[in-house]
């Protein structure tokens, strides 16, 4: 099973959301630090960014994320997690700041997880080796996107509707036999009544905050003891992002 994302800007957008969601999952204590770094902070990621002329800001975020284990080892037993938390918070803020850059505005409403690669200057194919792995990575992505939505004030309703049409509906329509916890997670966004809350951004923001908290329930059935992310990158006609959960 796989998904395809086309164009550099959309690929950068995806990786930034994965970084954001991964940081949030670590805060929830859903994944360990090794899994956090495996999902994006890898030397091969730097090679992919360099070879395909992706964002230098994304490269900087990856570089700083690669040092998280060193930070943890340095502060362990002295000031437990304090410096590590500060470092993660800084990366989190940088991800959100970059995502709010005007160059990504069109991604808010146009981003798709399932695209044709015809006529694309660059494409990213994400190949999942199991349904469990697909669910796990989609949950990381949903966490990231939910946090991004909470940063948006203008046209929030339109972005939410586009997110449901271009991402959530496509996931639902794939026809896979998802776990109950994953189905519950992707249906959380239906709690937002777009007719009732259309002109009430504060109400939408409150619901998004509740959703971002409830998403952690998924990880009860996919704990860090059961899933160890093992990610590799391959250069083919496009950019293949191969992900395996062991």
């Amino acid at each position: 099973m796989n998904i395809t994302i086309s164009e550099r800007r959309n690929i950068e957008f995806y990786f930034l959301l994965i970084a954001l969601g991964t940081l949030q999952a670590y805060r929830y204590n859903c994944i360990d630090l090794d899994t956090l770094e495996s999902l994006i902070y890898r030397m091969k990621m730097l090679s992919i960014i360099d070879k395909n002329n992706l964002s230098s800001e994304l490269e900087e975020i990856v570089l700083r994320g690669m040092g998280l284990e060193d930070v943890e080892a340095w502060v362990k037993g002295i000031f437990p997690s304090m410096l590590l938390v500060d470092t993660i918070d800084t990366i989190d803020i940088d991800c959100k700041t970059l995502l709010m850059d005007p160059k990504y505005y069109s991604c808010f409403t146009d981003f798709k997880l399932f695209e044709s690669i015809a006529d694309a200057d660059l494409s990213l194919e994400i190949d999942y080796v199991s349904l469990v792995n697909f669910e796990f990575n989609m949950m990381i992505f949903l966490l990231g996107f939910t946090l991004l939505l909470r940063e948006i004030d203008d046209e929030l309703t339109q972005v939410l509707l586009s997110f449901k049409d271009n991402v959530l509906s496509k996931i639902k329509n794939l026809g896979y036999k998802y776990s109950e916890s994953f189905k519950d997670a992707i249906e959380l966004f239906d709690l937002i009544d777009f007719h009732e809350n259309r002109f009430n951004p504060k109400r939408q923001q409150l619901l998004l905050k509740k959703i971002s908290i409830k998403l952690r329930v998924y990880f009860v059935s996919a704990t860090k003891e059961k899933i160890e992310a093992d990610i590799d990158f391959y250069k083919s006609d496009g950019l293949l992002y191969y992900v395996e959960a062991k």
Side-chain angles (χ1 to χ4, degrees), residues 27-239:
R27 284 199 181 103
Y28 283 166
N29 197 31
C30 301
I31 60 175
D32 57 23
L33 196 61
D34 182 60
T35 304
L36 165 63
E37 292 194 312
S38 293
L39 282 166
I40 188 167
Y41 304 119
R42 301 275 298 275
M43 285 298 294
K44 288 185 178 181
M45 172 62 81
L46 294 179
S47 176
I48 290 295
I49 291 171
D50 181 59
K51 288 181 179 179
N52 296 282
N53 298 315
L54 299 184
S55 165
S56 59
E57 290 88 352
L58 173 61
E59 182 177 35
E60 179 61 28
I61 286 171
V62 173
L63 276 168
R64 281 186 286 121
M66 287 171 64
L68 291 175
E69 283 189 335
D70 292 335
V71 172
E72 183 191 46
W74 183 46
V75 302
K76 192 172 184 179
I78 305 174
F79 301 105
S81 298
M82 187 179 298
L83 183 56
L84 181 63
V85 169
D86 287 345
T87 304
I88 288 174
D89 285 346
T90 300
I91 298 173
D92 178 272
I93 291 170
D94 288 346
C95 282
K96 291 177 181 175
T97 300
L98 184 53
L99 282 164
M100 296 304 292
D101 188 290
K103 70 179 179 180
Y104 294 117
Y105 281 178
S106 65
C107 296
F108 293 170
T109 54
D110 297 340
F111 179 83
K112 298 179 179 65
L113 281 175
F114 308 88
E115 289 194 298
S116 168
I117 62 174
D119 301 322
D121 63 338
L122 182 67
S123 64
L124 167 70
E125 182 179 346
I126 307 173
D127 184 18
Y128 302 100
V129 298
S130 71
L131 184 58
V132 170
N133 179 247
F134 175 77
E135 290 185 3
F136 183 79
N137 282 272
M138 286 300 97
M139 280 302 301
I140 295 291
F141 177 79
L142 291 180
L143 276 172
F145 213 120
T146 304
L147 290 177
L148 173 65
L149 290 170
R150 288 169 58 185
E151 298 294 316
I152 299 173
D153 292 318
D154 298 334
E155 301 182 9
L156 175 58
T157 297
Q158 181 57 48
V159 178
L160 277 165
L161 286 170
S162 297
F163 174 59
K164 290 188 70 173
D165 288 342
N166 295 334
V167 177
L168 294 180
S169 66
K170 300 295 177 61
I171 293 174
K172 292 177 182 179
N173 292 335
L174 286 176
Y176 296 131
K177 190 175 181 179
Y178 299 123
S179 65
E180 288 300 319
S181 55
F182 183 68
K183 285 193 291 186
D184 290 342
I186 61 178
E187 288 171 0
L188 284 172
F189 294 89
D190 292 332
L191 294 174
I192 301 178
D193 187 322
F194 288 97
H195 296 290
E196 178 183 347
N197 303 311
R198 189 177 185 85
F199 301 107
N200 192 342
K202 289 185 178 179
R203 173 69 174 166
Q204 291 180 347
Q205 288 284 358
L206 177 61
L207 288 170
L208 284 171
K209 186 174 183 179
K210 289 181 178 179
I211 288 171
S212 68
I213 294 172
K214 287 184 176 181
L215 287 176
R216 76 178 68 178
V217 175
Y218 164 82
F219 291 96
V220 172
S221 62
T223 63
K224 59 189 178 184
E225 288 79 17
K226 293 181 180 178
I227 291 187
E228 177 184 354
D230 184 17
I231 295 175
D232 214 339
F233 302 92
Y234 301 92
K235 190 70 176 66
S236 58
D237 292 339
L239 171 60

Side-chain angles (χ1 to χ4, degrees), residues 6-14 54 102-107 110-111:
S6 66
E7 300 183 11
R8 283 176 172 78
R9 180 173 50 191
N10 289 323
I11 293 171
E12 293 167 358
F13 186 75
Y14 169 80
L54 299 184
K103 70 179 179 180
Y104 294 117
Y105 281 178
S106 65
C107 296
D110 297 340
F111 179 83

